[in-house]
């Protein structure tokens, strides 16, 4: 009997320790997680199968292009209902101008419960696209 998995989240974070912690917390909360430390790898995931992802959780400063703002815009172009959660220690001031509509910004450091609550809240209020 296979284990039921929750919604699939694309997690993008360039700091390996932070990536591992968030990945574990999301998985423990029941989410299926695909994680990448490089934004170019995450972009390829979106372009090759955006339909599998219910949400994108991304750092903003990823050390290379695309940055988190650009990654989220691409995700929304490919899947307009994609839930987007940004995480940043420095760039929150840019959120009103750079963030995609109806997204959430979490200021680092944040508690895992804040991320889980933000994801669950957005996923529960986002219409599911019909196939």
């Amino acid at each position: 009997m296979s284990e039921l998995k929750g919604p699939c989240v694309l997690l993008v974070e360039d700091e390996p320790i932070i990536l591992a912690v968030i990945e574990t917390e999301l998985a423990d909360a029941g989410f299926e997680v695909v994680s990448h430390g490089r934004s170019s790898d995450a972009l390829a995931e979106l372009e090759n199968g955006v339909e599998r992802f219910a949400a994108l959780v991304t750092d903003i400063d990823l050390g290379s292009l695309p940055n988190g703002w650009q990654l989220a815009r691409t995700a929304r172009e490919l899947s307009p209902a994609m839930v987007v959660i940004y995480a940043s220690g420095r760039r929150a001031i840019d959120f009103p101008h750079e963030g995609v509509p109806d997204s959430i910004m979490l200021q680092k450091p944040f508690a895992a419960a804040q991320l889980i609550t933000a994801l669950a809240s957005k996923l529960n209020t986002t219409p599911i696209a019909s196939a």
Side-chain angles (χ1 to χ4, degrees), residues 32-54:
E32 181 181 350
V33 183
V34 175
S35 61
H36 288 287
R38 294 176 9 154
S39 58
S40 57
D41 295 337
L43 182 60
E45 286 276 3
L46 289 170
E47 291 173 339
N48 293 323
V50 71
E51 65 279 348
R52 73 187 273 209
F53 300 107

Side-chain angles (χ1 to χ4, degrees), residues 3-127:
E3 184 179 322
L4 291 177
K5 293 188 179 185
C8 188
V9 175
L10 178 58
L11 171 63
V12 190
E13 170 61 62
D14 63 334
E15 293 292 332
I17 292 172
I18 296 172
L19 179 71
V21 169
I22 296 173
E23 182 178 23
T24 299
E25 294 291 344
L26 288 173
D28 288 350
F31 293 96
E32 181 181 350
V33 183
V34 175
S35 61
H36 288 287
R38 294 176 9 154
S39 58
S40 57
D41 295 337
L43 182 60
E45 286 276 3
L46 289 170
E47 291 173 339
N48 293 323
V50 71
E51 65 279 348
R52 73 187 273 209
F53 300 107
L56 169 67
V57 175
T58 185
D59 188 6
I60 295 167
D61 295 313
L62 294 167
S64 64
L65 294 178
N67 62 30
W69 304 125
Q70 295 162 326
L71 201 55
R73 283 192 286 274
T74 299
R76 283 284 182 82
E77 287 170 8
L78 296 170
S79 178
M82 172 98 46
V83 169
V84 174
I85 310 283
Y86 297 103
S88 180
R90 300 184 292 146
R91 304 278 300 271
I93 194 166
D94 295 329
F95 177 61
H97 307 289
E98 297 284 342
V100 296
D102 200 31
S103 57
I104 293 177
M105 166 65 80
L106 294 177
Q107 186 75 34
K108 291 179 182 176
F110 54 83
Q114 289 174 281
L115 176 58
I116 303 304
T117 300
L119 270 171
S121 174
K122 283 293 186 188
L123 288 168
N124 286 334
T125 60
T126 300

